[in-house]
Amino acid sequence: MNSLKPYVLFLILIFISIFANNFIVLVNSITSSSSSSSSDNEYTTFFDTVTSINPKASLNSGKNQTSLSASRGSSSCEVWDVTCSEAVLGLARKPENVEWIKGLRRKIHENPELAFEEYETSKLVRAELDRMEIEYKYPLAKTGIRAWIGTGGPPFVAVRADMDALPIQEAVEWEHKSKAPGKMHACGHDAHVAMLVGAAKILKNREHLLKGTVILLFQPAEEAGNGAKRMIGDGALENVEAIFAVHVSHQHPTAIIGSRPGPLLAGCGFFRAVISGRKGLAGNPHHSVDPILAASASVISLQGIVSRESNPLDSQVVSVTSFNGGNNLDLIPDTVVIGGTFRAFSNASFYNLLQRIQEVVMEQASVFRCSATVDFFEKESTIYPPTVNDDHMYEHVKKVATDLLGPPNFRVVPPMMGAEDFSFYSQVVPAAFYYIGIRNETLGSIHTGHSPYFMIDEDVLPIGAAVHATIAERYLIEHG
């Protein structure tokens, strides 16, 4: 028995050593868990919903930082949860990022540029992309940019911002008023650009999490210039499987997201008809062929297209907005020019209106022995098809907005008779267009777009950036 004592002692020593190591690991685990719980208490409420943000989210681009997500076992965000939303919102709302994105928007607002003239705006965007080491192609459509973040492989999802301003003299007196006489960002495109650059910063920070490639499109000439059409022609949608875009809206409180499935914005076209007769003295009308009578009949008959030929449940508009004849009160002119606009929510209805306008004007002219030509400005690309949201892409926007900002901050909105050249993208790939609210009565952000008094609540900028980034990242997760 005594000969076994050394072996027994040896086994006891080994057991004590193992027990001590396990005890140290247990203590470390408890300490780590306590630290994680402490981190949980650092959240702040956003819009008084269940969603919260982590104000200490890392800004080190491209580095996989230890985070609350990691402690919860979801650092890759392959299954999106509240911690992933918190991480994105945390990046967007860091004070230095908020000041940066507001400063960017103000620089663009001070220096508005019209359609296909956005050289300085484009230069500013490219400088920011260079700082973030984001690759891009330039130019597309004269001043446009196509940038990309992610793996470089599929799936590919695009987010678009328009860059052009309007020929309007700004009437808002503030520190960052337009410095270009007769030009103004009166439709919020300066905010659109700032939000997409902000999204680029978030996505670059989270590039290691992306399951594909995000394409960022900075587009010129949305305002009556059809920049989208030229962007597509220059390869903007190469490999792209889906595309999203936002527009600021004074109809909704700041940061409220609104959209709908199906038709959201109308197709829009313009027409100009020249009705020709033979001039003569008004006192002897039988010696003339009166184009004023023919044009008047055309105007009356055009109103019957919608009221008597269209389904009352299918909203359409035909409006004659100009009528120009002679200026001599004693002379019947040889020509009259009329013009106007037409709108509809489906391609079938839209192009039917186009055809019927032409038929009505030409046939009514012939009734009164006149001739007529109708120009729809197709060479100038002023025909915008309807903007129709793909049902699945709409549901994606709704899901992202609800998860990120909380259910009360998403609204289903009615269709509007306004038009957008984003519609050209939606004809090529599945697309969704949505609004983000900027209405704030206290600040005076209550005026509609294209008003000289238009202004925005800049608190929307980081939220818009976060929504953009999350729409793109989650699309890649779900389609990768």
Side-chain angles (χ1 to χ4, degrees):
M1 291 293 290
N2 288 337
S3 63
L4 294 175
K5 285 183 179 180
Y7 298 104
V8 172
L9 290 172
F10 179 73
L11 292 173
I12 291 171
L13 287 171
I14 292 175
F15 175 81
I16 291 171
S17 175
I18 293 172
F19 178 84
N21 286 336
N22 286 339
F23 179 78
I24 290 170
V25 170
L26 178 62
V27 170
N28 286 338
S29 175
I30 293 171
T31 304
S32 174
S33 175
S34 175
S35 174
S36 175
S37 297
S38 176
S39 296
D40 288 351
N41 295 327
E42 293 177 350
Y43 296 157
T44 55
T45 302
F46 172 70
F47 279 135
D48 296 325
T49 67
V50 295
T51 304
S52 56
I53 64 169
N54 181 358
K56 294 188 177 181
S58 170
L59 280 175
N60 294 327
S61 175
K63 295 182 181 179
N64 191 2
Q65 300 293 311
T66 301
S67 65
L68 181 62
S69 297
S71 71
R72 292 184 180 177
S74 58
S75 61
S76 68
C77 286
E78 290 183 3
V79 177
W80 196 271
D81 60 19
V82 67
T83 60
C84 302
S85 295
E86 289 161 358
V88 173
L89 281 170
L91 285 170
R93 301 194 73 189
K94 283 187 73 70
E96 57 266 41
N97 283 348
V98 173
E99 289 306 306
W100 165 75
I101 198 171
K102 287 183 178 180
L104 183 64
R105 181 256 166 175
R106 290 169 181 177
K107 287 179 184 177
I108 299 170
H109 188 87
E110 289 177 354
N111 300 282
E113 297 170 299
L114 303 182
F116 295 118
E117 299 175 1
E118 309 92 336
Y119 294 105
E120 293 302 314
T121 303
S122 180
K123 182 178 178 181
L124 179 62
V125 171
R126 297 196 313 273
E128 293 295 336
L129 296 175
D130 288 337
R131 288 189 187 96
M132 290 184 268
E133 298 183 351
I134 294 173
E135 294 183 84
Y136 58 84
K137 178 183 177 182
Y138 169 85
L140 283 74
K142 200 170 184 179
T143 60
I145 305 165
R146 185 184 195 266
W148 53 90
I149 305 170
T151 65
F156 291 83
V157 62
V159 187
R160 167 270 209 173
D162 38 15
M163 301 189 291
D164 55 322
L166 287 160
I168 293 174
Q169 179 62 45
E170 182 167 8
V172 181
E173 296 298 333
W174 68 305
E175 183 182 356
H176 302 284
K177 183 178 180 179
S178 169
K179 296 178 181 178
K183 300 177 185 179
M184 177 190 176
H185 272 291
C187 201
H189 296 189
D190 51 344
H192 300 169
V193 174
M195 287 189 285
L196 189 54
V197 177
K201 192 168 192 175
I202 295 170
L203 290 165
K204 187 64 179 178
N205 179 272
R206 297 173 60 82
E207 189 170 25
H208 60 290
L209 300 174
L210 300 182
K211 308 301 181 184
T213 307
V214 181
I215 303 297
L216 309 174
L217 298 179
F218 296 90
Q219 177 207 306
E222 186 278 327
E223 301 286 359
N226 277 306
K229 207 170 184 180
R230 288 182 59 174
M231 289 283 286
I232 294 169
D234 286 349
L237 292 183
E238 182 180 353
N239 296 322
V240 169
E241 302 170 17
I243 187 169
F244 301 88
V246 71
H247 203 295
V248 294
S249 171
H250 73 288
Q251 295 185 351
H252 308 292
T254 298
I256 296 292
I257 304 297
S259 191
R260 69 176 295 106
L264 177 67
L265 291 164
C268 173
F270 298 92
F271 67 92
R272 178 179 181 270
V274 179
I275 300 170
S276 301
R278 184 173 68 246
K279 67 181 176 182
L281 292 173
N284 295 296
H286 58 291
H287 293 310
S288 67
V289 176
D290 191 351
I292 288 183
L293 188 59
S296 299
S298 295
V299 171
I300 297 299
S301 296
L302 286 171
Q303 306 310 306
I305 296 175
V306 172
S307 66
R308 288 296 174 266
E309 298 180 18
S310 302
N311 185 334
L313 300 179
D314 180 12
S315 298
Q316 300 175 37
V317 169
V318 175
S319 292
V320 178
T321 57
S322 70
F323 191 115
N324 297 297
N327 53 16
N328 188 328
L329 300 183
D330 195 35
L331 189 68
I332 293 170
D334 55 359
T335 61
V336 173
V337 179
I338 64 173
T341 185
F342 58 103
R343 307 192 178 208
F345 282 107
S346 73
N347 281 316
S349 297
F350 180 77
Y351 286 103
N352 180 66
L353 286 180
L354 185 152
Q355 177 183 339
R356 290 294 292 133
I357 289 169
Q358 183 169 31
E359 291 172 352
V360 166
V361 171
M362 296 185 73
E363 294 299 327
Q364 281 293 344
S366 67
V367 167
F368 294 92
R369 300 180 296 149
C370 293
S371 61
T373 60
V374 185
D375 183 7
F376 293 98
F377 306 103
E378 291 170 286
K379 290 182 179 179
E380 289 83 3
S381 298
T382 58
I383 289 181
Y384 288 37
T387 300
V388 180
N389 281 342
D390 177 87
D391 288 349
H392 297 296
M393 298 306 106
Y394 159 77
E395 289 295 338
H396 182 70
V397 170
K398 179 181 178 182
K399 175 178 59 184
V400 167
T402 301
D403 290 349
L404 192 68
L405 307 178
N409 295 303
F410 180 84
R411 297 177 179 177
V412 179
V413 299
M416 295 175 59
M417 277 294 173
E420 242 281 352
D421 80 345
F422 183 78
S423 57
F424 289 106
Y425 299 113
S426 71
Q427 289 190 318
V428 180
V429 295
F433 193 78
Y434 65 98
Y435 303 116
I436 188 165
I438 55 169
R439 187 175 185 86
N440 186 325
E441 288 86 352
T442 302
L443 295 177
S445 180
I446 58 174
H447 299 281
T448 183
H450 295 218
S451 163
Y453 296 96
F454 180 84
M455 62 182 299
I456 73 165
D457 180 356
E458 291 185 321
D459 286 346
V460 76
L461 299 175
I463 306 306
V467 174
H468 268 334
T470 309
I471 284 174
E473 183 175 345
R474 290 189 68 175
Y475 180 92
L476 297 181
I477 290 171
E478 294 167 17
H479 295 81

